[in-house]
Amino acid sequence: MSEREDFLWQRFFAACALFFVIFTFVGLEVSWPQPPSFAWSAEQTAAYYVEHQTGFLVGVVLCSIGMAFLLIWTVQFCLMLSRLEGGSRAVTAVTVASLAASPVLLSFDLAVFGVVAYRPDRISPDITRALSDLAWLGSQHIWPMLTVGMALAGILILRTQGRPESFPAWLGYFSLVVALCEFGQLPIFFFKSGPLSGDGAAAWYLATFTWGPWILAAGWSMYQILGRLQTNRSAESRHSVLQ
C-alpha cells in the first residue's frame, strides 16, 4: 500500500466518527423511543414495547451499524494517540481498551433490546421488564470505562501540545469535561424516577448528548491532522526529489 493510500484509509477511519453519529442519532433519537420510566409496572413496560415495537427494532439495526463505525474510529483515534505518546505507550493501551469496550458491550445490549422488542405481546410482562432493565441499565453502566478512556485521552492531548501530530488543546479540555459528565450515570441503580434515574436528565441526556459531540469533534480534528500530515509528507517528498 502506498503512503497516499494509507492516508486515505486513515482519513476514512477518522470520518467514521460522522457515520457513527448519523446512524446512532437516527436510530436512537429518531426511530427509537426514549427510555420508559423505571417506576412503571411490568404491564406498562410491556405495553410500551408493544406500542413502539417497530421503532425499537429499526433503532437496534441502525445503532448496531453505528457500533461498527465507532469501533473503527476508536482504533484510529488511539493509533494517533500512540504516535504522540511514544515510549511504552501504556497510556494509549489503557485508553484503547477502555474506549473499545464500549461498542463491544453496547452491541450485546442492543441484542437484548432486540430480544425485548421481538415479541413483547407473547411473553410475560415481568420478563419484558427484566430484560428492558438489563438492556437500559447495562448500556449505561459502561460509564466507568468511558470515563477512564476520555480522561486519559484528554491528559495525553494536553501533555503533547506543540508536536506536528498534536491534537488541539481545546479537545483535551473537552475530553476532560465529557469524562466528568459520565458520572451522571453513577446513581442509576439507586433511583427509579427523577433526574438521577436511568431515564433522567443527569444519567441519560447528559451522557448521551456529550458523548456523541465529543466523538464528532475528535473525528474532525483527526481528519484535519491527517490532511496536514499528508500535505507535509508530499512536500518533503518533492523536496527530496529536487535535491
Side-chain angles (χ1 to χ4, degrees):
M1 182 182 296
S2 67
E3 186 174 69
R4 178 177 177 276
E5 291 174 327
D6 180 58
F7 271 112
L8 287 175
W9 276 111
Q10 290 191 65
R11 296 190 84 183
F12 168 72
F13 296 154
C16 284
L18 176 61
F19 301 136
F20 158 73
V21 170
I22 291 173
F23 275 93
T24 305
F25 180 82
V26 175
L28 194 60
E29 299 299 330
V30 178
S31 302
W32 192 311
Q34 295 306 284
S37 172
F38 290 90
W40 281 358
S41 67
E43 288 72 20
Q44 288 175 305
T45 303
Y48 188 77
Y49 280 92
V50 171
E51 180 183 357
H52 300 288
Q53 183 179 26
T54 301
F56 272 112
L57 294 176
V58 172
V60 165
V61 173
L62 293 176
C63 289
S64 296
I65 296 172
M67 290 306 111
F69 286 118
L70 176 59
L71 185 59
I72 293 170
W73 170 83
T74 300
V75 173
Q76 179 63 38
F77 179 54
C78 292
L79 174 64
M80 294 177 68
L81 289 179
S82 71
R83 294 170 184 164
L84 289 175
E85 184 183 6
S88 67
R89 298 179 179 174
V91 173
T92 304
V94 175
T95 303
V96 69
S98 300
L99 294 179
S102 298
V104 175
L105 293 176
L106 286 173
S107 294
F108 284 103
D109 291 316
L110 287 166
V112 177
F113 277 118
V115 171
V116 176
Y118 187 60
R119 58 184 92 198
D121 56 340
R122 299 184 184 180
I123 61 176
S124 167
D126 290 318
I127 295 176
T128 296
R129 185 171 66 169
L131 290 175
S132 177
D133 288 347
L134 173 64
W136 281 114
L137 298 177
S139 67
Q140 294 175 314
H141 199 51
I142 63 172
W143 72 267
M145 289 169 287
L146 272 179
T147 300
V148 170
M150 291 170 172
L152 288 177
I155 292 170
L156 185 56
I157 289 171
L158 292 174
R159 288 177 61 87
T160 55
Q161 290 298 296
R163 301 183 186 182
E165 301 180 8
S166 294
F167 287 83
W170 63 262
L171 182 63
Y173 291 114
F174 188 28
S175 300
L176 296 177
V177 170
V178 175
L180 287 175
C181 290
E182 289 296 316
F183 280 91
Q185 298 179 98
L186 187 152
I188 56 175
F189 291 112
F190 300 96
F191 298 90
K192 294 182 176 63
S193 61
L196 300 180
S197 65
D199 64 327
W204 173 245
Y205 294 99
L206 180 63
T208 301
F209 290 100
T210 53
W211 183 42
W214 174 73
I215 292 173
L216 198 59
W220 174 245
S221 298
M222 292 160 61
Y223 195 84
Q224 289 185 312
I225 292 169
L226 290 167
R228 185 168 63 248
L229 288 174
Q230 184 177 11
T231 300
N232 292 341
R233 294 281 179 83
S234 298
E236 290 174 0
S237 298
R238 288 194 298 269
H239 183 69
S240 302
V241 171
L242 291 175
Q243 286 182 332

